[in-house]
Amino acid sequence: MNLFNLKKGQICIIDKILILGDMRRRLLDLGLISGTKVKCVEVSPFGDPKAFSIRGAVIALRKSECKQILIKEPHYEQ
């Protein structure tokens, strides 16, 4: 399962990041590492990009980037 599968309001834990290069470095600098909790906070009208809350910051990621970020089973906050 990848980050793009996350629906608005769902939370997941990052399992593995497959992105390489500068984008990988940027994501790591933002704290997007294995074990990080991520929440989908907004989805654009056409579904791409999606906005995620990561350690207090909100970032938008495109579908191509999201598909390279593997996650554990998503759930809704309780």
Side-chain angles (χ1 to χ4, degrees):
M1 186 169 266
N2 61 55
L3 196 58
F4 194 74
N5 298 116
L6 215 59
K7 293 177 178 64
K8 185 176 178 179
Q10 283 188 316
I11 296 174
C12 71
I13 302 294
I14 299 299
D15 188 28
K16 186 183 272 188
I17 299 175
L18 304 175
I19 297 173
L20 300 174
D22 290 338
M23 186 59 170
R24 180 182 180 87
R25 170 60 33 213
R26 285 187 204 110
L27 294 174
L28 293 174
D29 288 345
L30 287 169
L32 191 68
I33 58 173
S34 182
T36 300
K37 184 168 93 169
V38 174
K39 180 177 182 179
C40 182
V41 293
E42 197 61 55
V43 178
S44 71
F46 295 107
D48 187 23
K50 291 185 176 185
F52 301 94
S53 175
I54 303 167
R55 298 181 186 249
V58 176
I59 64 167
L61 296 173
R62 297 217 171 268
K63 183 178 183 177
S64 60
E65 298 158 345
C66 290
K67 290 202 170 236
Q68 296 182 65
I69 301 172
L70 305 181
I71 63 171
K72 297 180 180 173
E73 195 65 33
H75 61 278
Y76 288 97
E77 270 187 314
Q78 302 181 21

